[in-house]
Amino acid sequence: MFSVREVITPSGTLQYREEQFTGLRCRISPDRSKRHIDQASYNPPDPGDCPFCRENVFSVTPTFPDGSRITCGESVTFPNLFPFGEGHVVTVITRDHWVTSFTRHQIIDALSGQIEALRRYKGYASINWNFLPSAGASLVHPHMQGLCDSAPSRIVERYLAAGRQYRHQYGRAYWDDIRDAEKASDRYLFGEEIVWSAHAVPQGEREVRGILPVSSLGEVDPYVDLLAGGILEILSLYRKFGTCAFNLSLFFNKDGDDGDLSAFCSLISRINPNPLATSDSAFMERLHLEPIIMTLPEDLGNFYRNTKK
């Protein structure tokens, strides 16, 4: 399923890894961990006028076309005010502006709010989470973001193509063989129905993937509780390494698509935040493999010409 090429350098061993059927690549350099670039644990500033805090969330956030928001436990879900998808929703996870850990019920309720909202759209859905500024979160208040587009993001597109190629070549489901291979490897962490393992060709630091036994958003309800427990287990693992920030993306095939794609959840750890900066690399850049750009190239050209006058 993947290849490894090792190169011995004066400073240690470097690995080049590549997934055979997707072409996804990474370079692993264990000695770079000796740089100690992580920050101390994060203490967020005073929330100020946070739009996600309880005194504001029901008055300043947008509503769905019928005038509603979705509430589930502590969570509140509504359309994104600045969308970058055909369907783009936000779920505020907790009442509190800052929490150091999450309960299972908080994650279940937030996932449930996302699922209910995303079912209003047709296409390829994903549930995503940037936690803390170094992971690209523009607000510290914990929140998830759901996307649904008529076309799959780059990483889903690659896995759909890999599934077709694999079935044509071997007559078997790609993801079934991945699950079996991961359970038999040193990368396996835990889980039977949802198989959690350290991803063989990570796209981010300490990437862990949970492979679900279903494909689409319409099938995921029976696994929400189990999924929440797995997410919390991985976040606990990251804390043991001393990192708090992370990105998460949960990918789905579109309803009714018979393509070979198992729903899967990817998490990567990020360095603890520099309190003075917010990263411009978030879940879309790191896990979907599609950058979100704010400036039109034509506007940049016009700006350059106008400022040269």
Side-chain angles (χ1 to χ4, degrees):
M1 295 299 194
F2 68 98
S3 62
V4 179
R5 179 169 65 92
E6 285 195 346
V7 175
I8 306 300
T9 73
S11 300
T13 301
L14 173 65
Q15 285 192 358
Y16 296 82
R17 295 192 175 202
E18 181 175 359
E19 285 189 355
Q20 180 179 350
F21 291 92
T22 65
L24 293 175
R25 300 174 183 172
C26 74
R27 304 183 185 198
I28 301 179
S29 176
D31 289 293
R32 288 178 66 81
S33 63
K34 299 175 183 176
R35 295 176 302 159
H36 302 297
I37 62 172
D38 222 348
Q39 303 288 324
S41 60
Y42 184 68
N43 294 312
D46 184 87
D49 196 26
C50 171
F52 292 171
C53 283
R54 217 60 173 186
E55 61 270 23
N56 299 319
V57 69
F58 291 108
S59 59
V60 304
T61 59
T63 61
F64 292 105
D66 62 1
S68 70
R69 301 177 183 88
I70 298 169
T71 57
C72 188
E74 291 184 44
S75 74
V76 184
T77 302
F78 44 86
N80 194 313
L81 192 60
F82 303 103
F84 49 79
E86 295 168 36
H88 192 169
V89 300
V90 175
T91 296
V92 176
I93 301 172
T94 61
R95 290 176 179 271
D96 293 332
H97 180 77
W98 170 246
V99 295
T100 57
S101 61
F102 299 90
T103 69
R104 195 172 184 126
H105 279 299
Q106 286 171 334
I107 304 301
I108 290 170
D109 290 341
L111 290 173
S112 298
Q114 284 274 296
I115 292 165
E116 182 179 344
L118 288 171
R119 284 179 176 156
R120 301 176 181 221
Y121 308 96
K122 292 182 179 180
Y124 296 89
S126 67
I127 296 172
N128 310 276
W129 189 357
N130 303 321
F131 185 63
L132 297 182
S134 63
S138 57
L139 291 172
V140 169
H141 200 129
H143 60 285
M144 294 181 184
Q145 299 183 57
L147 292 175
C148 193
D149 286 291
S150 55
S153 62
R154 182 61 172 150
I155 193 167
V156 172
E157 184 180 60
R158 287 196 179 196
Y159 279 116
L160 284 168
R164 289 190 293 268
Q165 180 186 352
Y166 193 82
R167 185 173 289 279
H168 176 75
Q169 189 167 334
Y170 295 103
R172 301 191 304 272
Y174 176 84
W175 289 93
D176 288 348
D177 283 2
I178 286 285
R179 287 168 62 95
D180 291 342
E182 291 305 296
K183 287 181 69 174
S185 76
D186 290 339
R187 297 178 299 277
Y188 175 69
L189 302 180
F190 61 90
E192 294 295 328
E193 290 185 276
I194 301 178
V195 175
W196 296 89
S197 63
H199 186 50
V201 185
Q203 300 302 294
E205 189 63 27
R206 306 184 187 108
E207 182 178 7
V208 174
R209 287 193 180 178
I211 303 173
L212 282 71
V214 296
S215 178
S216 67
L217 187 72
E219 304 169 290
V220 75
D221 283 345
Y223 299 97
V224 169
D225 180 89
L226 196 59
L227 181 62
I231 290 170
L232 290 175
E233 185 71 14
I234 302 309
L235 298 188
S236 175
L237 174 65
Y238 288 167
R239 291 296 180 102
K240 292 175 183 176
F241 281 101
T243 53
C244 303
F246 62 87
N247 298 112
L248 176 154
S249 287
L250 172 58
F251 299 97
F252 297 97
N253 200 355
K254 66 179 180 181
D255 288 327
D257 192 321
D258 58 359
D260 284 317
L261 179 75
S262 282
F264 68 97
C265 182
S266 272
L267 296 95
I268 58 173
S269 67
R270 304 292 294 271
I271 62 172
N272 289 328
N274 175 342
L276 301 179
T278 299
S279 174
D280 65 353
S281 171
F283 68 81
M284 283 301 296
E285 290 77 12
R286 299 304 305 273
L287 296 173
H288 288 249
L289 310 183
E290 292 190 8
I292 300 301
I293 309 300
M294 293 182 287
T295 304
L296 285 168
E298 294 77 13
D299 288 348
L300 185 60
N302 288 330
F303 179 82
Y304 175 80
R305 286 185 289 275
N306 291 335
T307 56
K308 295 295 283 186
K309 292 177 181 178

